[in-house]
Amino acid sequence: MKSLIVLFLVIWPFLVNANAQTIEFPDVNNNVAYASVASLGFTPADEKIAYGDNESQFALLWRAKQIQPQNPLVILLHGGCWLSAYDIKHTYALSTGLAQAGFNVWSLEYRRSGASGGGWPTTFNDVKAGILAVSKYNNGEFKLADSVVVGHSAGGHLALLAGGEIDQLKGVIGLAPITDIKAYARGNNSCQKVTKDFMQGMPTDKPKAYTQANPSEQSLHPQSIILQGDQDTIVPAFNLEQLKRPVVMLDGVGHFDWTHPGSAAFKTLIQNLNEK
């Protein structure tokens, strides 16, 4: 009897996941508003895994609704101008959509500018630690060689940099990523203006740090790709040819389309993941 109880406790989380409600994400037109993403339903993560001692150093694991053995693990890095004010929660729907599409999702939280104690290079070090923790989870269930880092916006910036240092990864997908942080810091929109907070100064104040934090001046993972919308005003496409990596530019797509599972941009993301 005791062994049956133990077995039940082991398989219970998987039974819960198998019976979890499927979210029906509405189809949306291009150039999705942030409010539309923030209001979406989602399924809770199956597990929370700490990769450090700080309260912001954790991963949330969504297990695929229907396992597709050929699908890579998605290591997801959320965006939000590197600010503590924008946390992992706004990508819960994206993680849910990816899991419903057949991908296990390892979504990372990390310290960011402000109250959570991040900034350069602390934030980047957290991201690298969270990625490397994949291979230590559950007796090696997941392999870096079968994992693709997907980062949106500021998370895309971190994903491109991390892929350049962790070459064991299968690939990297930047969703509207910040690819030239020096140029971005000189911009005038609300996200551009807080780049100096993340970097603790402007490019003229911290030239070495900005070069180290600049995907356009660092080696990237050979299997990196950029997915971008031509209506993105938060992270406009800027000299993407400098990266010497494939770029998919979608007409009419804005910044938050990539995080809405009912968008055409999300379908493009799934297509590119299936090709990895």
Side-chain angles (χ1 to χ4, degrees), residues 22-81:
T22 297
I23 304 296
E24 296 293 334
F25 293 106
D27 291 338
V28 288
N29 295 326
N30 286 344
N31 212 354
V32 177
Y34 176 78
S36 296
V37 174
S39 65
L40 290 171
F42 58 87
T43 55
D46 295 285
E47 191 172 351
K48 181 177 180 179
I49 306 100
Y51 64 84
D53 296 330
N54 187 275
E55 64 182 3
S56 293
Q57 293 175 312
F58 65 86
L60 295 178
L61 175 63
W62 276 261
R63 289 193 175 273
K65 293 282 285 185
Q66 293 185 331
I67 298 295
Q68 303 293 332
Q70 75 277 11
N71 282 354
L73 170 72
V74 173
I75 302 174
L76 183 62
L77 305 181
H78 72 82
C81 311

Side-chain angles (χ1 to χ4, degrees), residues 160-225:
L160 290 172
L161 292 172
E165 294 195 13
I166 306 173
D167 59 5
Q168 307 100 299
L169 290 163
K170 189 170 188 178
V172 176
I173 299 178
L175 307 175
I178 296 165
T179 59
D180 190 329
I181 195 169
K182 291 180 179 178
Y184 198 73
R186 299 185 184 102
N188 293 315
N189 73 36
S190 59
C191 196
Q192 291 167 329
K193 288 179 179 178
V194 297
T195 306
K196 66 180 184 300
D197 299 327
F198 174 65
M199 296 298 299
Q200 297 99 57
M202 291 294 286
T204 51
D205 306 317
K206 301 271 188 174
K208 183 178 179 180
Y210 267 88
T211 296
Q212 293 170 338
N214 200 6
S216 292
E217 297 180 88
Q218 297 298 317
S219 297
L220 304 183
H221 193 285
Q223 297 301 315
S224 297
I225 186 168

